[in-house]
Amino acid sequence: MSPARSPGTRKAAATTKASKKAPTSKRAAKTEVLADQPATGHRGDLLEAMLRIRRFEERCVELYSAAKIRGFVHLYIGEEAVAVGVNETLTPEDAVVSTYREHGHALARGIPAEAVMAEMYGRTTGCSAGRGGSMHLFDASRRFYGGSAIVAGGLPLAAGLALADRMRGQNRVTCCFFGDGAFAEGEFHETANLAALWNLPLLLACENNLYAMGTALAREHAQTDLAMRAASYGMPAWAVDGMDVEAVEQAARRATEGIRAGTGPHFLELRTYRFRAHSMYDPDRYRDKAEIERWKTRDPINQLMDRMRENGELGDKELAGIERRVTEEVDGAVEAAEQAPEPLVEDLLRYVISTSAEVS
């Protein structure tokens, strides 16, 4: 998906699972949703959107190693199918609340790579004017209400956005991304309870990558079926193969259509995996290397490319074209960021404290 195009504007595939009834709260699906086969052109868009995120983040690794990007950086490599698949089902009027692992969400939402990269550099042309960096991307014009350094911190905010839409009679969806670590926080349970109680138009998208920072899911949760636990709040909830972008899109479309129909909040447990460490500072000693390699065999980008090749939808020429466009886009973003101005020292307290004129 090109950043110039708003997410969710393309037509859904003619034959998807969207028409099927979503699992009820009494019966959370334990079988992961599998993908049907959408149109060729659409698959190409999905592939390009995932490659944009992958190449962008690979460049961030290089720039961070060269000390051109500072601070904390949490990479999304391996989880691209989640951001792309879910955002395909959202409209420009919907809202997205993200986490500190948010580059993929921002790019999939349509924030230009230039604006995201400039923010990584801390430049004034960044989407947060260089004040947020990697963990605090924000773009109100695209209703992307940023990342949060607080685990589960975005959940109450998302509930507030959804409540405002419901009170105003606006048929919009608020999508909140969060990790499995947030499931252990009180904010998740408070938000899930209120969302179900008030019938809020909220999509709870749990990116279950099996590790809350460095703690394995089974060491933190006595019951690791997160979808089943979410269903106990009285909302439709099911698990999805988060390494299959088409499966994610179909599941998210079922959920968003249900929400728009007035059936209240929905929960998706998107079973995925990050190939990189928790952050660039993390030595990643809590995972077995063989486990990481096993998950890499399910790389969402490679899976989609293989599927397209098998169906005669992707050749070397087409793939080279996608790679060229994405590379040029990322190269241009880096060049623009390096030429953009840094924030002025005299503006350090701007947006932090108010002047007397602003207060009066």
Side-chain angles (χ1 to χ4, degrees):
M1 178 176 64
S2 169
R5 299 179 67 178
S6 299
T9 55
R10 290 189 296 274
K11 292 183 179 179
T15 304
T16 69
K17 296 187 178 182
S19 60
K20 295 184 179 180
K21 186 178 180 181
T24 65
S25 59
K26 295 182 179 179
R27 183 171 170 268
K30 294 189 177 181
T31 302
E32 292 183 346
V33 178
L34 301 178
D36 289 333
Q37 302 205 2
T40 303
H42 184 62
R43 276 183 173 165
D45 290 341
L46 296 175
L47 177 61
E48 186 162 342
M50 289 196 293
L51 276 170
R52 176 179 296 108
I53 297 170
R54 179 70 59 89
R55 300 297 178 249
F56 182 95
E57 294 219 314
E58 288 172 345
R59 183 62 63 83
C60 286
V61 173
E62 298 173 7
L63 295 169
Y64 188 91
S65 300
K68 292 188 175 183
I69 291 175
R70 305 297 183 95
F72 282 96
V73 174
H74 304 82
L75 298 173
Y76 200 66
I77 293 174
E79 301 185 27
E80 295 90 350
V82 173
V84 172
V86 172
N87 271 283
E88 281 297 316
T89 71
L90 302 176
T91 71
E93 288 73 37
D94 295 330
V96 174
V97 178
S98 186
T99 69
Y100 50 72
R101 195 181 307 279
E102 61 182 327
H103 313 151
H105 303 151
L107 292 170
R109 181 62 178 167
I111 300 178
E114 275 194 19
V116 179
M117 187 62 78
E119 191 60 38
M120 302 288 285
Y121 269 75
R123 302 302 171 91
T124 57
T125 54
C127 57
S128 297
R131 293 170 174 267
S134 170
M135 299 170 68
H136 300 284
L137 306 177
F138 191 95
D139 190 335
S141 68
R142 291 176 174 83
R143 302 204 76 209
F144 186 84
Y145 296 114
S148 172
I150 307 301
V151 174
L155 283 156
L157 300 177
L161 289 167
L163 176 61
D165 285 340
R166 201 205 69 179
M167 294 178 70
R168 292 169 178 164
Q170 295 172 312
N171 190 14
R172 304 195 293 198
V173 173
T174 296
C175 173
C176 184
F177 290 100
F178 57 96
D180 51 284
F183 206 97
E185 300 292 330
E187 290 94 332
F188 168 76
H189 300 280
E190 293 161 355
T191 298
N193 180 63
L194 285 177
L197 186 65
W198 294 343
N199 201 46
L200 299 184
L202 180 63
L203 174 59
L204 296 169
C206 178
E207 298 180 305
N208 180 5
N209 62 25
L210 302 180
Y211 290 92
M213 190 172 178
T215 304
L217 184 70
R219 290 181 177 271
E220 186 179 15
H221 297 272
Q223 172 52 262
T224 59
D225 189 333
L226 304 185
M228 183 176 71
R229 292 173 62 190
S232 70
Y233 285 101
M235 67 179 73
W238 65 97
V240 188
D241 180 0
M243 305 301 278
D244 184 337
V245 66
E246 294 179 289
V248 172
E249 181 184 2
Q250 290 156 24
R253 199 171 299 283
R254 290 169 60 189
T256 55
E257 287 181 354
I259 293 168
R260 295 185 206 285
T263 59
H266 285 55
F267 177 95
L268 297 179
E269 179 190 347
L270 301 149
R271 295 175 176 174
T272 184
Y273 197 83
R274 52 177 168 80
F275 296 162
R276 304 282 303 204
H278 170 72
S279 72
M280 290 294 293
Y281 283 109
D282 180 13
D284 202 9
R285 294 173 182 167
Y286 47 84
R287 301 189 295 183
D288 183 73
K289 302 305 179 187
E291 175 186 292
I292 300 173
E293 294 306 313
R294 284 196 302 272
W295 276 92
K296 284 184 177 179
T297 64
R298 298 185 56 207
D299 187 314
I301 294 175
N302 291 341
Q303 283 196 88
L304 183 59
M305 285 196 297
D306 290 344
R307 192 176 297 163
M308 293 175 70
R309 287 186 185 279
E310 289 172 3
N311 289 306
E313 301 169 331
L314 181 69
D316 292 341
K317 181 179 179 181
E318 290 79 11
L319 180 58
I322 293 174
E323 288 280 15
R324 183 183 65 255
R325 289 193 296 274
V326 169
T327 299
E328 290 175 352
E329 187 176 332
V330 175
D331 286 346
V334 173
E335 182 180 356
E338 293 190 342
Q339 294 176 358
E342 295 182 349
L344 299 174
V345 174
E346 49 265 38
D347 284 341
L348 181 64
L349 296 181
R350 191 180 181 191
Y351 309 122
V352 178
I353 61 175
S354 298
T355 65
S356 57
E358 291 172 332
V359 172
S360 59

